[in-house]
Amino acid sequence: MSILWQICFFCWRTLWLVVCIGSASLAQADVAGPDSHLAAGLRAEFAALEPQLSSNQFNRPLALNSAESSNRSKGEIYALVDYPFATVKEALIGPAHWCDVLILHLNTKYCHASTHNASNILAVSIGKKTYQAIDDAQLFEFVHSIATTTPEYFNVLFNAKTGPLGTSDYLLMLEAVSVPGGKTFLHLTYSYAFNFQGRLAMLAYLSTLGRGKVGFTHTAKPSNGQPDYIGGVRGAVERNTMRYYLAIDAYLGALSTPPAAQLEKRLQSWFNATEQFSRQLHEVDRDAYLTMKRREVLRMQMPPGVAD
């Protein structure tokens, strides 16, 4: 009887361990969540890009690429930033602070966050490189959504269905993952679609006001040894993608500044950063930019319909 009891006890204990281990594995899978592969995927991108992040033309841990098809243009930036993931997530996963980010862009004239039919909306007016009335700018209504969020990863999207001059389906997407050293790895995508009318409008711009403007991708080295950069539609989307990334970085960099000084810190940081790439991004001088943006930020404090 004693031997039989021991055998039964051993069998029961073994079965109990198997059940417990299996339950623990299932619990761990639930904690990791079905989207944990997204964090692993972005970390894999980080590992693959590490050599490029450590040595590049930008003199910062950043990689940029772009693509153009018959009806869509896209720019992407991968960047390592020296901010904890928790800080980045708190600042950027929701829509609350994105107007403070977007207004730094030279062409953003106004931004207002609201909720409509349970959707978070950013009404963003895009216009000239100088101060102008909101009614003279183009209104974009970006719908904010959180695609994925876990303790170590998030993905946030802003979509606008329509745009001017035959453009549509605008997307601003940011995903981020925690990486060793208390830092965060970001992936920013900016893209839009265009029809035949939109392509004609872009070609008209590139042959007039946009003539001579370039992006960041090297195409070849001419005989004088100076790099040639991509132009055209890809050059345009690269410039805008970089401006949006620098706005995100300037916003994050000012969070440690006392609240009353954060706006000025963001403005100065964004302008200083763009001037590091003056061949691509210089449009106005510092005083003109700061004066314009201070006025536009003051205007953002007024509700739509009241702001001029």
Side-chain angles (χ1 to χ4, degrees), residues 32-49:
D35 296 308
S36 61
H37 67 283
L38 297 175
L42 191 53
R43 287 199 183 100
E45 291 278 8
F46 172 58
L49 288 170

Side-chain angles (χ1 to χ4, degrees), residues 63-126:
L64 180 149
N65 59 65
S66 61
E68 177 189 0
S69 67
S70 60
N71 65 350
R72 192 164 192 88
S73 183
K74 180 176 76 170
E76 291 182 291
I77 282 179
Y78 293 89
L80 179 66
V81 295
D82 196 11
Y83 313 112
F85 176 77
T87 299
V88 176
K89 183 177 181 180
E90 181 180 1
L92 298 177
I93 193 170
H97 304 299
W98 274 90
C99 280
D100 294 328
V101 173
L102 297 178
I103 197 62
L104 300 177
H105 191 300
L106 193 67
N107 295 103
T108 304
K109 305 290 100 182
Y110 184 80
C111 180
H112 178 74
S114 63
T115 301
H116 180 68
N117 292 335
S119 295
N120 293 317
I121 308 293
L122 288 188
V124 183
S125 295
I126 305 294

Side-chain angles (χ1 to χ4, degrees), residues 22-55:
S23 298
S25 299
L26 289 173
Q28 185 175 1
D30 288 341
V31 171
D35 296 308
S36 61
H37 67 283
L38 297 175
L42 191 53
R43 287 199 183 100
E45 291 278 8
F46 172 58
L49 288 170
E50 275 194 290
Q52 189 174 345
L53 296 173
S54 61
S55 178

Side-chain angles (χ1 to χ4, degrees), residues 98-111 124-132 134 137 240 243-244 246-247 250 262-272 274 281 283-302 308:
W98 274 90
C99 280
D100 294 328
V101 173
L102 297 178
I103 197 62
L104 300 177
H105 191 300
L106 193 67
N107 295 103
T108 304
K109 305 290 100 182
Y110 184 80
C111 180
V124 183
S125 295
I126 305 294
K128 299 178 180 178
K129 300 174 180 68
T130 56
Y131 189 85
Q132 66 180 132
I134 296 175
N240 261 330
R243 287 185 173 115
Y244 284 124
L246 294 177
Q262 286 185 11
L263 172 60
E264 197 64 23
K265 173 71 172 176
R266 294 195 295 265
L267 295 176
Q268 296 283 356
S269 295
W270 188 89
F271 187 85
N272 290 340
T274 60
L281 302 183
E283 298 287 351
V284 299
D285 63 31
R286 181 186 301 274
D287 288 342
Y289 172 78
L290 294 175
T291 299
M292 174 179 66
K293 286 301 166 183
R294 288 167 187 154
R295 291 182 67 189
E296 289 170 353
V297 170
L298 284 174
R299 181 167 63 180
M300 278 205 323
Q301 298 172 9
M302 294 182 285
D308 61 359

Side-chain angles (χ1 to χ4, degrees), residues 156-219:
V156 61
L157 307 172
F158 293 91
N159 291 98
K161 291 183 179 180
T162 60
L165 301 174
T167 61
S168 62
D169 193 21
Y170 281 78
L171 169 68
L172 190 66
M173 184 276 288
L174 178 70
E175 60 175 340
V177 69
S178 61
V179 293
K183 299 182 180 182
T184 303
F185 186 56
L186 303 178
H187 174 212
L188 174 70
T189 300
Y190 168 70
S191 68
Y192 60 92
F194 48 82
N195 58 20
F196 181 71
Q197 177 192 3
R199 178 171 286 279
L200 289 180
M202 176 59 74
L203 292 176
Y205 166 77
L206 293 172
S207 65
T208 53
L209 296 176
R211 180 183 299 173
K213 294 182 181 296
V214 296
F216 296 90
T217 299
H218 288 171
T219 55

